[in-house]
Amino acid sequence: DIVMTQSPDFLAVSLGERATINCKSSQSVLYSSNNKNYLAWYQQKSGQPPKLLIYWASTRESGVPDRFSGSGSGTDFALTISSLQAEDVAVYYCQQYYSTPRTFGQGTKLEIK
Amino acid sequence: EVLLVESGGGLVQPGGSLRLSCAASGFTFSTYEMNWVRQAPGKGPEWVSYIGSSGSTIYKDSVKGRFTISRDNAKNSLYLQMNSLRVEDTAVYFCARRGAAVAVYDYWGQGTRVTVSS
């Protein structure tokens, strides 16, 4: 199974500041035949199911604000929120869909400083 | 609007059984691949099982032989029959739709809680 490891576990950022969450996979999730990274990011607010934010490592899902961006390739990825808003308080998960079983990171809890 | 509504969770003793259901609406259910994903308290989500539009199935190793995923396209419903339940199966169980073009979980239900305890 591909192990997904996120850092940090907890992150406190001031409103309007940048937040960056990292995700590392135990093996590459870059598929050479199409040069796509099979990596997604989800946001989970308290008491709600996860919500898809980004797929192909950097493509925003429809309706996701452009302050959310994804980057990285191969085994190292990042989710960046350019200017933190109060409604962004949540736990964020990365997930690989390169192979079965699909696996998630342990999550990063993002709070307001 | 896409809606997925799970039901059937509850408290069960180790070794017991439960059948989860997921009622889908707002999309052509029969053409989509569906999944069950669970989340133990304080943990990240964990994929459990998949069913294709044609009925092919895949399971997480730890549930093989104990869980059975199925679907009824006429009723727009997804099911998970869970037998020989273990304490470590305790979690909120979500049904999740696989995206049409990308193999991500683009819609999730609100989940149903399963607690396995004596």
Side-chain angles (χ1 to χ4, degrees), chain A residues 49-68:
Chain A
K51 173 191 171 185
L52 177 65
L53 293 178
I54 285 171
Y55 56 93
W56 298 136
S58 61
T59 301
R60 271 188 303 276
E61 174 72 332
S62 176
V64 173
D66 61 6
R67 64 180 180 274
F68 290 90

Side-chain angles (χ1 to χ4, degrees), chain A residues 13-49:
Chain A
V13 175
S14 301
L15 288 173
E17 296 300 305
R18 178 184 299 260
T20 299
I21 297 168
N22 299 298
C23 174
K24 189 174 185 67
S25 57
S26 62
Q27 64 188 74
S28 176
V29 297
L30 173 63
Y31 194 42
S32 56
S33 66
N34 60 8
N35 201 37
K36 287 182 179 289
N37 287 283
Y38 284 58
L39 190 284
W41 289 95
Y42 297 83
Q43 174 193 63
Q44 187 174 30
K45 296 182 178 180
S46 181
Q48 295 184 20

